[in-house]
Amino acid sequence: MLGLALLGLTALLDHGEGATSCLSQQLRMRGDYVLGGLFPLGSAEGTGLGDRLQPNTTVCTRFSSLGLLWALAVKMAVEEINNGSALLPGLHLGYDLLDTCSEPMVAMKPSLMFMAKAGSCSIAAYCNYTQYQPRVLAVIGPHSSELALVTGKFFSFFLVPQVSYGASTDRLSNREIFPSFFRTVPSDRVQVAAMVELLQELGWNWVAAVGSDDEYGRQGLSLFSGLANARGICIAHEGLVPLPPGSLRLGALQGLLRQVNQSSVQVVVLFSSAHVARTLFSYSIRCKLSPKVWVASEAWLTSDLVMTLPGMPGVGTVLGFLQQGAPMPEFPSYVRTRLALAADPAFCASLDAEQPGLEEHVVGPRCPQCDHVTLENLSAGLLHHQTFAAYAAVYGVAQALHNTLRCNASGCPRREPVRPWQLLENMYNVSFRARGLALQFDTSGNVNVDYDLKLWVWQDPTPELRTVGTFKGRLELWRSQMCWHTPGKQQPVSQCSRQCKEGQVRRVKGFHSCCYDCVDCKAGSYQRNPDDLLCTQCDQDQWSPDRSTRCFPRKPMFLAWGEPAVLLLLALLALALGLALAALGLFLWHSDSPLVQASGGPRACFGLACLGLVCLSVLLFPGQPGPASCLAQQPLFHLPLTGCLSTLFLQAAEIFVGSELPPSWAEKMRGRLRGPWAWLVVLLAMLAEAAWCAWYLVAFPPEVVTDWQVLPTEALVHCHVHSWISFGLVHATNAMLAFLCFLGTFLVQSRPGHYNGARGLTFAMLAYFITWISFVPLFANVHVAYQPAVQMGAILLCALGILATFHLPKCYLLLQRPELNTPEFFLEDNARAQGSSWGQGRGESGQKQVTPDPVTSPQ
């Protein structure tokens, strides 16, 4: 073993001095089942494919070290399976790895070779290819979406399984067009979702999006634009980098770069191949584009073409997503061993003996540059992330073949050959392991691979890829590991407009939803979501202040018992009721006195009792309104007031009759105004008022309503009046009684030496009219929440006015001037019985004259 190692080392050293090797011959091996491979071993760049006039052979001139490493990874996987017993025991896999030159038209020739009938170089035309056995059972590759879209349709016609290790365009997930396509890399849709979530997490909603003008770039840019717009991210500038770089459309690229440089965009998403990314950065460095944050697609994130470009450290911050894979620590050693063996003439001679008849005359030289490669040429890509994807593709096919052949630990019972379409049946949803990592093809042919978020951290001459997060369906950022190109290493801000504050919505200006003015939500509305364009109105049972993010429930509001205004009115009620009850008690105590008899006797007591009920009716207004209190408010106020005013009307009628009618008529009318007839008048007046109240309650019944709009933060509960005309008509009876009282007493001439009852009635009616006339404009203009308090105040002032002007002066005489409580001073009819007139009786009488009190007699 030691001698063999020394021999290999010596051969490798000799090979490094410029000797040729047979590495290209190692790209083919016979087996029971052969896997085809499509790899970018070279490049057709500069060969003038567009200028061809004949379909002759294309020679790939430029060497691709990554393509060779991916091919060696497939070779390594096949050898591991053949040397182990876990998969396909007793069987031997082979491989045939050919060059695509990274060109679709070049890739078609090896694809045709793979589909040639086993043992020949031709494809026969059949009506039914069910029994057709091509040279290969499955195909590994190609590496790019541009090529896979061409080869995928071709292999899908024959239902030959094809597993790509790099083609990520989402179009390849379409099972209608590509039923036999699989891949060991995620679809671009997953990568785009990770990019959009990264932009959202970092608060970048104003970005530029650039893609290469090929299938990979156009499809990726389309996916990103659709998902970004759906997530509220605005694309300020969008464009494609033309291919080839010398195209006349290059002016459009320069214009795009100038727009990005002059705008407030700080983040650029670049979905392109490595060659196009190098072209773009070359022009951006030449145009002195200000540093930006570049969100890279996986195709160029790890490319040496871009990393080694002069001036790249000045472009800003570069970060992007890289698929996770299992480590392959043995792979560098394996590559060194393959190179060492390729330099061994004895080993090369054995390959010539084992594998004669290579089809170079059909497909051209397999990889002429591979025979001159050195370890130094390959060292940069030994740990490339896509190497594992090529390696895992072999294990996916091997596991499906293992299942198709029904293999177990002892062997594979099925002996008849497996055709590609039979293998395809077992490829769907197959689970397999590669380097301990569990993978599975889903129904669309994709695998469940997670992403690492990588950040370029410059360490001369190339950047280090630092892991700063992961994406496993959801993004996880490690912010402490992130660093930025900005002064102070602060995270860049890329927004068209500042974030609105809480309680503000966006008023979009222009065509982009990310450019907006912040507008405050007014009272009664709120901001439901941070990205709302309109304020949401609160429900009617809710309220909100200005710039609110939620609504609050409205509290019921009514004239509460504890409010200061109500307490003041209750104190006024106590005063009025106390005075009414005191006057009533005083009248009852002196019921036989001339003063009480002159005031109507029992009718006066009835009037005072009604006045007390009027005062008590105000207790129906405070507190939460209910149906019963709303219906009872007006009747229980008006009916007692009618009873009070009807007694005053009778007294006014007596005064009017005694002073304005002839004595003979006056005596007759007085008899009618006293006794049962007087009570009949009171009854009729109250019945009339009762009729008005009944009509009011039946035709326009007041009801309890909740007004949600009249108060800003509360719901007003009040008694709603349906008709203000009917409300006014309920006052008609009382107003008419008061008016008649006023007319009957206003023009009555007072007689010296006697009590002037007309004056008290006149002022009582004036108090009534002043109170209720003032009530109308005040009630109409005051806030509806305080209308019950206005009614309470009007009722109590009306009652106090009647008490103060009519009843309290009489109480004063009863208590303070009892010497005036005589029939001569109050009973006018008795005085008339003693003489022809009050004036003559005073003039002829020799009795002592009583001087009227200035309080009770007119001046």
Side-chain angles (χ1 to χ4, degrees), residues 188 191-192 194-196 198-199 204 208 210 216 224 267-274 277 280-281 292-303 306-307 312 315 317-323 385 451-456 465:
D188 282 338
Q191 184 180 188
V192 165
M195 286 179 172
V196 171
L198 173 67
L199 297 179
W204 297 331
V210 183
Y216 175 75
F224 175 78
V267 177
V268 182
V269 177
L270 179 55
F271 228 103
S272 74
S273 62
L280 175 67
F281 283 115
K292 306 289 182 183
V293 175
W294 296 86
V295 180
S297 64
E298 192 175 18
W300 68 268
L301 178 64
T302 60
S303 172
V306 183
M307 288 182 172
M312 276 302 293
V315 301
T317 301
V318 178
L319 71 167
F321 289 94
L322 199 65
Q323 70 180 63
H385 70 284
Y451 279 104
D452 285 329
L453 178 60
K454 298 290 186 177
L455 177 72
W456 284 14
L465 290 178

Side-chain angles (χ1 to χ4, degrees), residues 201-216:
E201 183 70 22
L202 296 175
W204 297 331
N205 62 5
W206 186 239
V207 301
V210 183
S212 53
D213 195 6
D214 54 16
E215 178 59 32
Y216 175 75

